[in-house]
Amino acid sequence: MYSYTPAEKRQRNKLFRKGFRQALADCVDPALERQIERIDQAAAERGQRELNALHAVRDTDRQTVANAKAALRTASRQDRAAARQKVRDAEQQLRRSERAVNRAENS
């Protein structure tokens, strides 16, 4: 997964256009390719850190759902409605975090 900053996107596009024009003239500067590679490397590292953080959030949400379900099973009759609502909220948060992980992994 790549995570480019807006400045990196602009710089990479500028370098790509410059390299494309040079390729048409059949004299590509290797320094352009190295600069693009450096930008890609930084974006890949940043993307991996963000993906790891998303995985951590998802794992935490899974544990929260498990804790809420355990609390529901052990709740007294008066507290069951509140416990059910906590389970629903935890499952909803888990679905949001799983969607975020899936979008990040598929992009």
Side-chain angles (χ1 to χ4, degrees):
M1 177 177 133
Y2 292 95
S3 179
Y4 294 99
T5 63
E8 286 175 339
K9 286 179 189 179
R10 286 189 305 271
Q11 182 67 21
R12 190 177 188 287
N13 286 335
K14 178 182 167 187
L15 292 171
F16 178 79
R17 286 191 306 271
K18 189 173 183 180
F20 182 75
R21 285 192 299 267
Q22 288 179 0
L24 290 176
D26 202 26
C27 59
V28 179
D29 184 13
L32 287 176
E33 294 173 358
R34 285 193 305 270
Q35 286 177 322
I36 290 174
E37 198 58 38
R38 256 195 322 269
I39 292 170
D40 289 344
Q41 182 67 29
E45 290 173 5
R46 187 178 312 106
Q48 189 60 45
R49 283 194 306 271
E50 290 175 6
L51 188 60
N52 291 341
L54 285 171
H55 282 289
V57 168
R58 184 188 58 189
D59 293 340
T60 302
D61 289 342
R62 284 181 178 168
Q63 187 60 45
T64 303
V65 168
N67 292 342
K69 285 184 178 181
L72 174 63
R73 290 186 185 107
T74 60
S76 66
R77 186 172 180 91
Q78 295 83 12
D79 297 335
R80 271 198 196 230
R84 264 191 226 104
Q85 186 59 43
K86 286 183 182 179
V87 169
R88 284 187 209 113
D89 293 343
E91 287 174 341
Q92 197 173 46
Q93 177 59 36
L94 176 61
R95 281 191 296 275
R96 282 194 299 267
S97 63
E98 285 177 340
R99 277 195 304 265
V101 169
N102 289 339
R103 278 193 308 265
E105 287 177 341
N106 293 331
S107 65

